[in-house]
């Protein structure tokens, strides 16, 4: 049975979300300190200060899991423009790039809140805590997903040319690795040469010891513990 068939057959026990075409981004906030960290441990603050500023406005300390994108006017993720922004570091050019190619953060999970590690509670508990933590804006978007509608979500993926969908078991804890609790189903007709090139470039880096750590500095427990385990 295919992953899509499993997701649809068990859709009433899973929350199905669109899979956005961007950078997986770990978001850490402690006081006024915000860190945006890519899956391979790369700091993204310098290239995306607009996103860091938006996160800074959210009350409290937390760790989020999210997808960082640059969308076109039709609402589709534009990976090439995202890469261009990520390569831009000179402040004047960064501000110009933010105006021309505004970034968006689709936030889909909460790993820590204040001094509480949130990875063990079920997905539905984490989603509710996340939903209560901020309001949607042009930059920050709560990726809600839909329970019991896997077939409909997949139809939208195909008709609107999204990258794919993710079907997450409602009772699942957070795991920073591949798991049958989270089924990722790719759209077979979706293509993005730039993204495939990026993936090949960092495939080995993702598994290297250097990417198991990042600059944690002032980020306290449990945020530090959650961050370290996520990047392993």
């Amino acid at each position: 049975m295919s992953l899509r068939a499993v997701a649809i057959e068990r859709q009433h026990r899973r929350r199905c979300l669109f899979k956005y075409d961007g950078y997986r981004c770990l978001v850490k906030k402690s006081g006024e300190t915000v860190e945006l960290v890519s899956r391979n441990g790369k700091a993204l603050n310098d290239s995306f200060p607009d996103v860091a500023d938006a996160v800074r406005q959210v009350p409290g300390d937390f760790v989020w899991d999210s997808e960082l994108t640059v969308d076109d006017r039709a609402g589709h993720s534009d990976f090439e423009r995202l890469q261009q922004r990520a390569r831009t570091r000179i402040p004047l050019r960064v501000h110009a790039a933010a105006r021309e190619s505004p970034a968006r953060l689709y936030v889909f999970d909460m790993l820590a809140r204040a001094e509480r590690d949130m990875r063990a509670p079920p997905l539905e508990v984490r989603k509710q805590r996340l939903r209560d933590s901020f309001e949607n804006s042009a930059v920050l978007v709560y990726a809600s997903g839909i329970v019991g509608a896997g077939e409909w979500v997949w139809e939208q993926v195909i008709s609107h040319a999204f990258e794919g969908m993710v079907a997450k078991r409602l009772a699942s804890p957070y795991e920073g690795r591949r798991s049958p609790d989270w089924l990722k189903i790719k759209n077979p007709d979706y293509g993005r040469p730039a993204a495939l090139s990026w993936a090949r470039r960092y495939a080995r880096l993702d598994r290297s010891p250097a990417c198991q750590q990042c600059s944690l500095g002032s980020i306290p427990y449990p945020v530090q513990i959650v961050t370290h385990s996520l990047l392993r």
Side-chain angles (χ1 to χ4, degrees):
M1 184 180 292
S2 69
L3 290 179
R4 181 168 65 89
V6 171
I8 291 174
E9 179 185 0
R10 303 173 184 175
Q11 60 186 318
H12 295 291
R13 288 177 284 170
R14 292 181 181 266
R15 181 176 289 271
C16 296
L17 306 89
F18 295 124
K19 189 176 187 302
Y20 300 100
D21 192 0
Y23 294 169
R24 186 76 170 270
C25 183
L26 188 67
V27 179
K28 305 175 290 175
K29 178 176 179 285
S30 178
E32 293 299 308
T33 301
V34 172
E35 292 187 49
L36 309 177
V37 184
S38 72
R39 172 182 267 176
N40 55 56
K42 180 181 178 181
L44 298 171
N45 288 53
D46 289 348
S47 298
F48 298 92
D50 47 331
V51 177
D53 288 343
V55 172
R56 196 170 288 110
Q57 302 307 311
V58 179
D61 299 344
F62 48 80
V63 179
W64 291 342
D65 200 354
S66 65
E67 193 82 4
L68 178 65
T69 72
V70 169
D71 297 344
D72 62 22
R73 293 184 178 181
H76 292 97
S77 304
D78 189 326
F79 197 82
E80 185 174 356
R81 291 170 66 195
L82 178 66
Q83 283 185 305
Q84 291 173 352
R85 278 212 58 180
R87 289 193 293 262
T88 304
R89 296 296 184 88
I90 299 173
L92 285 178
R93 293 182 180 176
V94 167
H95 292 302
R99 290 193 301 270
E100 296 170 3
S101 302
R104 181 168 291 165
L105 199 68
Y106 290 95
V107 188
F108 54 79
D109 216 330
M110 174 176 279
L111 284 65
R113 181 183 184 186
E115 297 184 357
R116 184 182 179 189
D117 186 336
M118 294 291 297
R119 291 173 296 171
L123 172 66
E124 291 302 273
V125 172
R126 301 196 309 276
K127 295 291 282 189
Q128 186 59 55
R129 297 291 187 274
L130 180 62
R131 173 66 285 183
D132 293 342
S133 66
F134 73 99
E135 297 293 334
N136 284 346
S137 68
V139 180
L140 302 180
V141 178
Y142 168 68
S144 62
I146 304 175
V147 178
E151 189 167 7
W152 180 87
V153 172
W154 182 251
E155 290 173 355
Q156 303 311 304
V157 166
I158 298 300
S159 62
H160 296 288
F162 287 120
E163 184 187 2
M165 80 173 187
V166 182
K168 301 183 177 182
R169 191 169 64 85
L170 300 179
S172 63
Y174 184 92
E175 295 185 64
R177 60 188 179 187
R178 294 186 182 277
S179 165
D181 286 340
W182 292 11
L183 301 179
K184 295 183 180 181
I185 304 99
K186 294 185 177 181
N187 179 355
D189 297 325
Y190 187 84
R192 54 173 176 115
L196 294 175
S197 174
W198 176 272
R200 285 194 295 268
R201 179 182 176 188
Y202 284 99
R204 293 183 180 179
L205 182 60
D206 283 348
R207 296 189 294 270
S208 69
C211 290
Q212 296 178 11
Q213 300 179 6
C214 63
S215 175
L216 300 176
S218 60
I219 305 298
Y221 176 89
V223 173
Q224 179 172 338
I225 302 301
V226 170
T227 301
H228 177 72
S229 63
L230 250 190
L231 294 175
R232 288 192 301 181

